[in-house]
């Protein structure tokens, strides 16, 4: 079979493929091609630069959107201008982080959907790409047409938070070695809709500061189906309040509200542009057939850093997936373009199985001890401020203080030492609890489970009445 291609953006805006050297999943690609006489056309409407960098030797470097490169084996891509007003010849329209969308373009998107055009929309309350200035998506009229309420605050999920290894200087007020990132949900298990072909077989989707999706109006004829959702242990905050992970843990108060992070929409929709000044002659005030749209409340999750470790080998991508984000996007494209059977070609094992009980115990320990840390640190700061005020900012030995003030100062200094000692003790206890938990798990895995298996080897035959054969 021929080697896999890589993609480049041609002058006409299309994402084209060239042959390159190396090995890949070529058999799957050949089966795929044999079942398609023509590649579907993807119209990619993006407010973010997704093209890989050009290296000094005029070769393509490693970009952040390898998923698009992988999908270029099976689809033709056309990168559209953000002021486009029609989508002729497009089989699937992808709207990616519309952060500064004009009314004309938003109207064109809506009319494409109402005419039966298939669409995938990625909106985001905070796009965590450093070199992209406009962080928040805005597509309110189209979302209104789709009967979607988009909570543009960041959704924290206490039951599905990502656990990160911390740097020692992450905060002066904690000694944690690992830390829950509450605004980075790892959606797992029951929160992925396995009954939908898009979510079937997926075990872990890693999101990055997502917003929340919900139905806008219960009386709408738009059929709303969740693909992945939060737990009930959620809290929504504006982005400026989620920058300090320690404060998030200390101040986290679950609301009990469940949000969706990805939804599939079908049925009948009504236009939100009936009063639009530049309405077209063939304006649709309602869908002429069932709509077919998927909406995600995060745009970051398809970037490489959040789903795969990727290396180049002989000009070919070697991908080690760390989550199912790439499979989710591939499933969506296959399902939306009418080739659902190709979802079954991918491996449906569920390799991302964490120690959920361990994570829960660690999270509870962290929240308890971090709360104590915060309280003791606050008491310490208050005492030091009182000493500063009492001495007027000067050394107490050079200040004339009354006997009562000297006693008060001595008492403050004792409180400082006592509080600092308690603070050190709390930090030691946190480390000891987490280490003890890890040791218990290791002992269980190393000794108790093998011992249990050995006992069962002798017990089960006796219970079944199986006796050893005696050599005569």
């Amino acid at each position: 079979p021929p080697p896999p291609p890589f993609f480049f953006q041609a002058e006409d805006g299309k994402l084209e493929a060239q042959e390159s050297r190396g090995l890949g999943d070529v058999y799957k690609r050949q089966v795929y091609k044999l079942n398609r006489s023509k590649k579907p056309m993807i119209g990619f409407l993006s407010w973010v630069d997704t093209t890989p960098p050009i290296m000094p030797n005029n070769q393509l470097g490693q970009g952040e959107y390898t998923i698009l490169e992988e999908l270029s084996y099976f689809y033709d891509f056309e990168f559209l201008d953000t002021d486009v007003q029609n989508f002729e010849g497009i089989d699937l329209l992808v709207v990616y982080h519309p952060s500064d969308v004009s009314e004309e373009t938003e109207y064109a998107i809506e009319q494409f959907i109402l005419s039966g055009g298939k669409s995938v929309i990625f909106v985001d309350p905070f796009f965590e790409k450093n070199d992209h200035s406009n962080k928040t998506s805005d597509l309110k009229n189209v979302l209104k047409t789709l009967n979607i309420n988009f909570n543009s605050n960041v959704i924290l999920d206490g039951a599905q938070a990502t656990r990160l290894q911390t740097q020692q200087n992450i905060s002066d007020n904690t000694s944690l070695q690992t830390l829950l990132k509450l605004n980075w949900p790892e959606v797992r298990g029951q929160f992925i809709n396995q009954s939908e072909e898009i979510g079937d077989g997926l075990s872990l989707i890693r999101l990055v500061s997502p917003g929340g999706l919900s139905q806008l109006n219960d009386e709408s004829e738009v059929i709303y189906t969740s693909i992945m959702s939060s737990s009930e242990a959620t809290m929504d905050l504006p982005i400026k309040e989620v920058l300090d992970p320690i404060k998030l843990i200390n101040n986290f108060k679950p609301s009990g509200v469940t949000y969706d992070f990805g939804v599939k929409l079908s049925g009948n929709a009504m236009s939100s542009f009936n009063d639009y000044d530049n309405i077209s002659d063939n304006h649709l005030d309602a869908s002429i057939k069932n709509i077919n749209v998927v909406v995600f409340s995060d745009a970051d999750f398809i970037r490489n850093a959040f789903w795969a470790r990727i290396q180049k080998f002989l000009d070919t991508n070697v991908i080690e997936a760390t989550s199912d984000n790439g499979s989710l996007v591939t499933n969506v494209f296959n399902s939306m373009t009418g080739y659902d059977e190709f979802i079954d070609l991918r491996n449906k094992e569920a390799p991302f199985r964490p120690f959920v009980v361990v994570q829960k115990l660690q999270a509870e320990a962290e929240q308890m001890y971090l709360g104590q840390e915060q309280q003791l640190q606050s008491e310490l700061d208050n005492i030091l401020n009182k000493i500063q005020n009492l001495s007027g900012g000067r050394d107490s030995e050079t200040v004339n203080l009354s006997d009562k003030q000297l006693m008060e100062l001595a008492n403050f200094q004792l409180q400082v030492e006592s509080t600092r000692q308690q603070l050190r003790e709390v930090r030691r206890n946190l480390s000891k609890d987490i280490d003890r938990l890890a040791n218990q798990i290791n002992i269980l895995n190393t000794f108790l489970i093998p011992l249990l298996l050995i006992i069962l080897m002798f017990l089960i035959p006796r219970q079944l009445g199986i006796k050893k054969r005696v050599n005569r």
Side-chain angles (χ1 to χ4, degrees):
F6 66 90
F7 77 96
F8 68 96
Q9 188 171 356
E11 292 182 359
D12 60 358
K14 292 184 179 180
L15 189 67
E16 299 181 354
Q18 286 185 340
E19 297 299 321
S20 66
R21 297 171 298 164
L23 298 175
D25 194 2
V26 291
Y27 296 106
K28 174 180 172 181
R29 292 166 184 153
Q30 291 305 310
V31 172
Y32 197 92
K33 289 177 180 178
L34 288 172
N35 282 271
R36 287 188 174 186
S37 58
K38 181 184 177 182
K39 289 183 179 181
M41 177 60 73
I42 306 297
F44 201 83
L45 183 60
S46 174
W47 282 255
V48 180
D49 183 11
T50 59
T51 56
I54 302 295
M55 306 302 288
N57 59 359
N58 291 326
Q59 296 293 319
L60 286 175
Q62 181 65 61
E64 291 191 280
Y65 292 89
T66 299
I67 185 62
L68 300 183
E69 183 175 348
E70 293 298 302
L71 289 170
S72 70
Y73 290 109
F74 313 120
Y75 300 93
D76 286 325
F77 278 75
E78 183 176 354
F79 286 86
L80 306 170
D81 292 332
T82 54
D83 60 354
V84 66
Q85 296 184 19
N86 66 78
F87 302 101
E88 295 179 0
I90 298 298
D91 296 303
L92 176 64
L93 174 64
V94 178
V95 181
Y96 189 70
H97 187 47
S99 51
D100 191 18
V101 58
S102 66
E103 197 170 20
E104 292 83 0
T105 299
E106 193 173 7
Y107 176 60
I109 295 170
E110 189 223 51
Q111 291 294 293
F112 177 78
I113 292 171
L114 295 180
S115 67
K118 300 171 182 178
S119 302
V120 182
I121 300 172
F122 298 84
V123 291
D124 201 321
F126 184 72
F127 188 63
E128 296 198 15
K129 194 170 185 289
N130 293 333
D131 59 354
H132 188 76
S133 58
N134 205 333
K135 300 293 187 182
T136 304
S137 300
D138 182 15
L139 204 65
K140 58 183 179 181
N141 291 316
V142 171
L143 295 179
K144 181 180 177 182
T145 299
L146 298 174
N147 194 41
I148 291 289
N149 177 48
F150 175 49
N151 186 338
S152 58
N153 280 344
V154 174
I155 305 302
L156 316 181
D157 194 331
Q160 301 188 102
T162 296
R163 178 171 295 281
L164 298 177
Q165 294 293 324
T166 65
Q167 301 294 328
Q168 288 299 316
N169 59 355
I170 189 172
S171 172
D172 294 333
N173 297 336
T174 185
S175 54
L176 288 175
Q177 300 299 311
T178 63
L179 190 70
L180 288 179
K181 188 78 169 174
L182 291 171
N183 57 311
W184 287 14
E186 289 187 340
V187 185
R188 303 174 184 269
Q190 70 189 71
F191 302 108
I192 301 175
N193 188 351
Q194 301 287 339
S195 63
E196 270 294 315
E197 59 196 8
I198 292 174
D200 186 22
L202 306 182
S203 60
L204 166 61
I205 307 297
R206 185 174 292 114
L207 303 177
V208 186
S209 297
L213 304 174
S214 59
Q215 285 183 284
L216 187 63
N217 183 356
D218 292 337
E219 298 177 358
S220 172
E221 295 183 19
V222 174
I223 300 171
Y224 179 102
T225 305
S226 173
I227 297 173
M228 55 181 176
S229 63
S230 71
S231 69
E232 292 183 352
T234 62
M235 183 178 182
D236 66 295
L237 289 173
I239 185 58
K240 63 182 180 180
E241 296 183 27
V242 304
L243 301 178
D244 188 332
I246 300 297
K247 285 185 178 179
L248 280 187
I249 294 173
N250 286 329
N251 300 326
F252 183 66
K253 296 178 181 178
S255 64
V257 178
T258 299
Y259 297 93
D260 289 310
F261 298 131
V263 297
K264 181 179 179 180
L265 305 160
S266 57
N268 301 314
M270 305 297 294
S271 175
S272 300
F273 283 87
N274 290 331
D275 298 327
Y276 178 49
D277 293 336
N278 298 323
I279 199 168
S280 65
D281 295 335
N282 55 351
H283 169 76
L284 298 173
D285 58 4
S287 55
I288 59 176
K289 59 173 76 172
N290 283 342
I291 63 172
N292 193 349
V293 183
V294 171
V295 178
F296 294 108
S297 62
D298 179 34
D300 286 290
F301 80 95
I302 70 171
R303 292 165 54 204
N304 293 357
F306 305 109
W307 72 276
R309 287 185 285 268
I310 300 172
Q311 294 180 336
K312 284 286 186 180
F313 178 74
L314 297 176
D315 295 330
T316 301
N317 291 323
V318 179
I319 300 175
E320 179 188 354
T322 59
S323 71
D324 288 323
N325 296 19
S327 295
L328 172 62
V329 176
T330 303
N331 283 1
V332 171
F333 276 45
N334 288 341
S335 176
M336 300 286 280
T337 55
Y339 286 84
D340 308 344
E341 62 270 24
F342 289 102
I343 293 175
D344 296 328
L345 288 177
R346 110 183 125 66
N347 184 4
K348 289 200 174 182
E349 293 180 358
F352 309 110
R353 297 184 182 274
F355 292 111
V356 177
V357 175
V358 175
Q359 288 186 348
K360 183 178 179 181
L361 291 174
Q362 284 182 329
E364 291 174 353
E366 283 178 14
Q367 190 155 10
M368 178 180 68
Y369 285 117
L370 285 173
Q372 293 180 24
E373 268 195 334
Q374 191 82 0
Q375 182 180 357
L376 290 171
Q377 188 67 45
S378 177
E379 291 178 5
L380 180 60
D381 293 340
N382 289 335
I383 295 170
L384 292 174
N385 286 335
K386 289 179 180 179
I387 292 175
Q388 187 78 5
N389 293 334
L390 188 63
S391 62
R394 291 170 289 172
D395 191 332
S396 58
E397 294 180 359
T398 63
V399 180
N400 293 324
L401 300 176
S402 64
D403 292 341
K404 182 178 180 180
Q405 288 175 321
L406 287 172
M407 289 180 63
E408 191 174 359
L409 180 60
N411 185 41
F412 284 159
Q413 290 172 338
L414 288 174
Q415 290 182 44
V416 167
E417 184 57 34
S418 174
T419 304
R420 283 177 173 160
Q421 186 174 355
Q422 291 179 57
L423 194 55
R424 287 192 294 270
E425 186 66 23
V426 164
R427 290 174 176 172
R428 277 197 300 269
N429 288 339
L430 175 56
S431 297
K432 284 167 58 178
D433 274 15
I434 292 177
D435 290 343
R436 183 170 63 250
L437 181 61
N439 290 334
Q440 290 172 353
I441 296 295
N442 288 333
I443 292 172
L444 183 66
N445 288 333
T446 306
F447 298 106
L448 295 184
I449 291 179
L451 182 61
L452 179 62
L453 290 175
I454 293 172
I455 293 173
L456 290 175
M457 287 173 62
F458 288 97
L459 185 62
I460 291 176
R462 289 178 177 273
Q463 293 294 323
L464 295 177
I466 302 174
K467 297 182 178 179
K468 289 184 178 180
R469 189 185 306 173
V470 179
N471 292 328
R472 295 181 179 179

